[in-house]
Amino acid sequence: MAEYKLEITTGDVQYAGTSDYIYVTLVGTEGQSERTLMDNYGFDFQTGASGSYTVKTSFSLGKLLLVKVEKNQYLCLPEEKWYFSKMVVTTPEGDVILYPCYRWIGRGEMVELRGGRAMKAFEDDHPLLIDHRKKELMLKKSLFQWKSMGEGLPHMNSFNDVSEIPAEMPFYDSRIADFNYSRKKILIELKIKGLLGSTAYWETIEDMKNIFWYKKTTMAEYVADHWMEDDFYGYQFLNGINPGVIKRCSELPTNFPVTEEMVKPFLEVGSSLQKEMEKGNMFLYDQKKMDGIPPAAYNGEPLHVTAGLCLLNVNPENKLMPIAIQLNQQPSEKNPIFLPSDTESDWLLAKIFIKNADCIDQESVHHFLRTHFLAEVFAVAALSSFPVIHPMYKLLLPHFRHTLHINIRARLSVLGPDGVLTNSSLGLDGVKELMRRDLSEMTYSSLCLPENIAARGLESIPNFYYRDDGLKLWNIIQSFVKAVVEHYYPSDCEVQRDTELQDWISEVFTHGFLGNKASGFPAAFHTVEEVVKFTTMVIFTPTVQHAAVNSGQYDYNSWAPNSTLRLHKPPPTTKGQSSMKTVLETLPNVGDTVVLAGVMWLLSERYSNYIPLGTYPEERFDEPEPKQMIKEFQAALSCLSEAITTRNSHLELPYTYLDPAEIENSVSI
């Protein structure tokens, strides 16, 4: 008689437990056990609990290959799904094998689990495992399919509703409840104050400070107090929520005819525009990819958006200052270059129109396209290409945790008929065209932070905390990925032999980057180094980069004068004709302002089941080596978090968005 000791763990999430019967069958190289009921005295399979059970066989089953787990009805109790986390089996020979599951199981359902060491396809040598792998991948490819989001845009998952997403990608009710509670709280407060739905325009800027009673952040209050200041305006291009746009300017574009005389008063005494460019102190914000996209209409009247240019200079105090703004791409008498010496309202309006375009670009391109939608591509490709036993599946899955659920909901709340981007100055068609243009020009290097920073000439610009923290995080992630990948792929030959790995990168190239060879994205892997670099980018994008462009949305975008998705009046075409009344009439009305502020609250809120970067509550690796690599990864992140906290304690404006403790492990909101 042989005895197998089983430890079965139920998930520690709401309603995870079950009263139903749970049966287990062990399958080995020498045979299989009887279908055995898991039953102890008292209540089994309670939320967050582990139970010990025994499966007895008349002989050793040999090397364990699969574990079958079934859930059947108990008495006449109503259906209740069971969140099955994992099983640990101790064999008669003393082997201890982990069988991860981490999914909901319904009544009458059976799951077959593989355990032990992560395995690549060519390493499976038993016919049963080879057949099981083949069937698993066939099922995955039938479940995780693609559909078009629109011509020239990345493809998306084929599910029409979150209820259709397979149990392999669980979502927790508590997170939805948190979101709905915050949404309800926002709506109630705005209705009580009579702000929701109001078509009136703001009478004073100060009135906007009273939108919310309870949602206050130090940064949001700083923005409301300092939004008019030029040094803070420049700071936001480095450390705000769209830090990936400006670049060093060594030569002015021909369509931006700024002269020495125009900007001399704003440069260091004795310097000149040419000298500042030669010293590397001039930087350019250029929204040319937005040029020519028709704006949307509002109540039958066209809205306004400008594809502008802004010239910035690092002054002797190491502050990045805007010194010239042109609101449209083609210079003309009706497209003047605005300067800090213009009237206060003219200069404010010029800055507001630049930030309006930047806000649309940040939300549609740098937030949704470059983090949400690319993360979805990486996720769907992985889910359809890798079986759960594959090492890359185990490495990547934690970084795709809620991505499919969030994106399905976001396409309705952000890009739906009443979506926040649909109601922006560009409207849905304009936003999609902007994303389409960006994807057509997107390069692999632009998603790899070290190359991105170098290409934009921002290696030495001072007070650039997004760069400083981001590069450290890139290196930490890369070191972790390198260790894991090299452990499972000791040679380039193994990379080339792994058909599932090649299928993944091919799917990403085809469905994410639409087969654009000019983009520089790989269509296949040839070396271990290529896998390391690409996987680093894949993990960095939904974690670090998403935090950089998402977490500060309420801080910066809830204050409409600083940044808004919609403007109503046309941009100024002549100088000296505006007033602060013009500024107020240009900004969104009361109702639109509070809705946008509420959306920014929801998008930047932290909800339950928050999992910070480097935290892996789901135990998927069974080998000691990757477990140790995870510990070293976590230690490096902890050290960086402490260093960032220390630095921030000395800053007037702490930059917290890339503190590892503040970065979620996946796109989850």
Side-chain angles (χ1 to χ4, degrees):
M1 181 68 69
E3 289 191 356
Y4 291 81
K5 302 297 183 182
L6 280 58
E7 184 180 28
I8 300 176
T9 302
T10 298
D12 191 16
V13 296
Q14 194 174 29
Y15 310 125
T18 184
S19 301
D20 279 352
Y21 292 119
I22 302 297
Y23 296 90
V24 171
T25 305
L26 305 179
V27 181
T29 54
E30 303 302 320
Q32 68 178 46
S33 71
E34 295 291 329
R35 178 173 176 264
T36 306
L37 176 66
M38 302 291 101
D39 187 25
N40 289 329
Y41 179 78
F43 294 103
D44 295 297
F45 312 113
Q46 298 302 293
T47 297
S50 296
S52 297
Y53 306 89
T54 300
V55 173
K56 297 181 179 181
T57 62
S58 57
F59 55 88
S60 172
L61 301 176
K63 179 183 176 183
L64 285 187
L65 302 175
L66 297 172
V67 170
K68 298 180 181 180
V69 181
E70 300 174 64
K71 177 178 179 290
N72 287 335
Q73 184 173 1
Y74 175 72
L75 299 177
C76 297
L77 295 179
E79 163 74 295
E80 51 180 7
K81 288 190 174 184
W82 174 44
Y83 191 83
F84 174 23
S85 288
K86 64 179 180 177
M87 179 189 299
V88 177
V89 179
T90 303
T91 70
E93 295 78 19
D95 295 327
V96 180
I97 307 169
L98 170 69
Y99 291 84
C101 183
Y102 299 104
R103 53 163 290 185
W104 295 96
I105 298 178
R107 183 170 289 169
E109 188 176 357
M110 181 180 75
V111 295
E112 294 183 349
L113 305 177
R114 286 191 61 175
R117 183 184 189 276
M119 301 285 281
K120 303 185 288 293
F122 58 83
E123 294 172 325
D124 279 339
D125 55 5
H126 193 282
L128 181 63
L129 294 182
I130 294 171
D131 184 62
H132 179 269
R133 193 176 195 120
K134 180 180 177 181
K135 289 178 178 177
E136 181 188 351
L137 282 176
M138 287 177 62
L139 176 61
K140 279 172 159 285
K141 288 193 178 297
S142 70
L143 291 174
F144 296 100
Q145 297 187 3
W146 303 94
K147 68 179 179 182
S148 173
M149 189 164 56
E151 184 180 355
L153 295 172
H155 299 165
M156 60 183 180
N157 72 78
S158 63
F159 307 115
N160 296 312
D161 187 80
V162 293
S163 62
E164 300 174 10
I165 298 176
E168 183 178 349
M169 298 295 287
F171 195 75
Y172 305 114
D173 291 340
S174 59
R175 201 172 182 95
I176 299 172
D178 283 356
F179 183 89
N180 289 337
Y181 173 76
S182 293
R183 184 174 179 273
K184 186 178 294 185
K185 184 167 64 174
I186 291 168
L187 291 175
I188 289 173
E189 180 172 352
L190 296 178
K191 285 181 179 178
I192 289 174
K193 292 180 174 180
L195 300 176
L196 195 65
S198 172
T199 58
Y201 282 89
W202 297 98
E203 294 183 5
T204 70
I205 295 291
E206 285 296 309
D207 291 342
M208 297 184 200
K209 291 185 176 180
N210 301 315
I211 294 177
F212 294 120
W213 285 317
Y214 303 112
K215 181 63 173 178
K216 304 289 185 183
T217 70
T218 302
M219 192 68 221
E221 292 185 349
Y222 186 94
V223 170
D225 290 336
H226 297 272
W227 69 279
M228 296 174 66
E229 298 168 10
D230 285 354
D231 59 341
F232 181 59
Y233 189 83
Y235 171 91
Q236 293 181 63
F237 288 108
L238 297 175
N239 302 307
I241 54 172
N242 202 19
V245 181
I246 68 165
K247 61 183 181 181
R248 177 173 290 171
C249 180
S250 56
E251 183 179 0
L252 284 173
T254 56
N255 62 325
F256 193 20
V258 177
T259 66
E260 292 278 1
E261 292 71 23
M262 288 180 183
V263 298
K264 189 176 181 63
F266 319 116
L267 304 177
E268 183 180 8
V269 175
S271 189
S272 67
L273 180 58
Q274 185 60 37
K275 288 179 182 178
E276 291 296 299
M277 287 193 288
E278 291 171 358
K279 289 192 291 184
N281 287 339
M282 301 303 300
F283 296 87
L284 181 68
Y285 175 89
D286 188 351
Q287 197 53 254
K288 60 185 175 183
K289 71 172 177 279
M290 202 177 283
D291 189 34
I293 301 179
Y298 181 80
N299 291 336
E301 296 294 326
L303 293 169
H304 304 278
V305 64
T306 59
L309 304 99
C310 179
L311 188 64
L312 302 110
N313 171 245
V314 174
N315 69 14
E317 289 77 41
N318 283 336
K319 294 180 177 180
L320 185 65
M321 307 289 286
I323 61 172
I325 290 175
Q326 180 178 290
L327 292 179
N328 292 291
Q329 287 289 310
Q330 296 307 316
S332 70
E333 289 185 5
K334 292 188 177 182
N335 185 26
I337 294 175
F338 291 93
L339 305 169
S341 53
D342 292 334
T343 65
E344 180 184 57
S345 57
D346 278 356
W347 184 234
L348 276 179
L349 281 170
K351 292 194 293 182
I352 285 171
F353 272 96
I354 290 289
K355 285 301 295 291
N356 166 241
D358 187 60
C359 185
I360 295 171
D361 179 50
Q362 176 268 330
E363 202 68 76
S364 58
V365 170
H366 296 274
H367 182 200
F368 282 100
L369 173 62
R370 287 180 170 244
T371 62
H372 279 256
F373 297 156
L374 288 188
E376 181 175 353
V377 169
F378 304 148
V380 174
L383 290 164
S384 65
S385 300
F386 294 129
V388 297
I389 198 67
H390 197 287
M392 293 299 289
Y393 180 93
K394 294 173 182 284
L395 174 63
L396 292 170
L397 188 68
H399 305 291
F400 305 146
R401 185 165 174 254
H402 292 151
T403 300
L404 302 190
H405 298 81
I406 291 300
N407 281 6
I408 288 172
R409 295 176 186 276
R411 276 188 277 272
L412 181 62
S413 62
V414 176
L415 297 173
D418 297 317
V420 62
L421 284 176
T422 303
N423 290 311
S424 70
S425 292
L426 276 186
L428 180 59
D429 291 341
V431 162
K432 284 190 172 183
E433 174 60 22
L434 183 64
M435 290 192 287
R436 190 176 295 117
R437 291 181 181 187
D438 187 78
L439 183 64
S440 70
E441 299 174 355
M442 189 184 295
T443 61
Y444 184 22
S445 62
S446 72
L447 299 182
C448 300
L449 188 64
E451 296 170 43
N452 177 299
I453 294 296
R456 293 194 288 135
L458 301 181
E459 302 96 327
S460 59
I461 188 171
N463 305 319
F464 192 11
Y465 308 117
Y466 162 78
R467 172 202 59 207
D468 299 342
D469 299 349
L471 288 176
K472 291 184 178 81
L473 283 160
W474 177 278
N475 291 334
I476 290 171
I477 293 170
Q478 185 179 55
S479 294
F480 169 58
V481 169
K482 186 174 187 288
V484 174
V485 170
E486 289 183 348
H487 176 71
Y488 291 103
Y489 296 91
S491 70
D492 294 343
C493 179
E494 299 218 359
V495 167
Q496 296 160 18
R497 287 181 65 195
D498 190 344
T499 54
E500 292 161 352
L501 179 69
Q502 300 297 342
D503 188 40
W504 175 56
I505 188 61
S506 177
E507 288 280 291
V508 171
F509 182 69
T510 301
H511 297 284
F513 308 112
L514 309 183
N516 180 11
K517 295 180 180 179
S519 66
F521 289 100
F525 290 130
H526 303 95
T527 67
V528 174
E529 184 180 358
E530 290 174 353
V531 179
V532 170
K533 178 180 176 181
F534 192 81
T535 306
T536 300
M537 181 275 292
V538 166
I539 294 176
F540 184 89
T541 296
T543 58
V544 180
Q545 188 59 25
H546 181 256
V549 298
N550 175 78
S551 299
Q553 289 187 99
Y554 183 82
D555 290 342
Y556 286 97
N557 289 358
S558 64
W559 182 250
N562 183 67
S563 185
T564 182
L565 288 167
R566 182 192 291 173
L567 295 176
H568 285 278
K569 289 183 75 68
T573 56
T574 56
K575 296 186 179 185
Q577 303 298 311
S578 68
S579 64
M580 287 306 293
K581 182 174 182 293
T582 314
V583 172
L584 288 167
E585 291 173 348
T586 300
L587 295 172
N589 63 33
V590 172
D592 292 339
T593 300
V594 300
V595 166
L596 289 171
V599 170
M600 297 307 157
W601 177 346
L602 292 172
L603 290 177
S604 54
E605 188 82 337
R606 179 182 292 186
Y607 298 99
S608 61
N609 299 117
Y610 171 85
I611 297 179
L613 177 63
T615 306
Y616 299 97
E618 297 177 354
E619 188 181 359
R620 294 187 177 274
F621 285 107
D622 197 22
E623 309 92 299
E625 294 89 348
K627 290 181 179 180
Q628 180 60 33
M629 294 166 191
I630 289 173
K631 289 181 180 178
E632 292 171 1
F633 181 39
Q634 292 169 338
L637 291 171
S638 179
C639 287
L640 178 59
S641 182
E642 291 177 8
I644 290 174
T645 300
T646 300
R647 179 204 65 199
N648 284 342
S649 67
H650 302 291
L651 297 177
E652 178 187 4
L653 286 179
Y655 184 74
T656 61
Y657 305 132
L658 295 191
D659 179 341
E662 302 298 322
I663 300 172
E664 196 151 9
N665 216 22
S666 65
V667 170
S668 297
I669 184 58

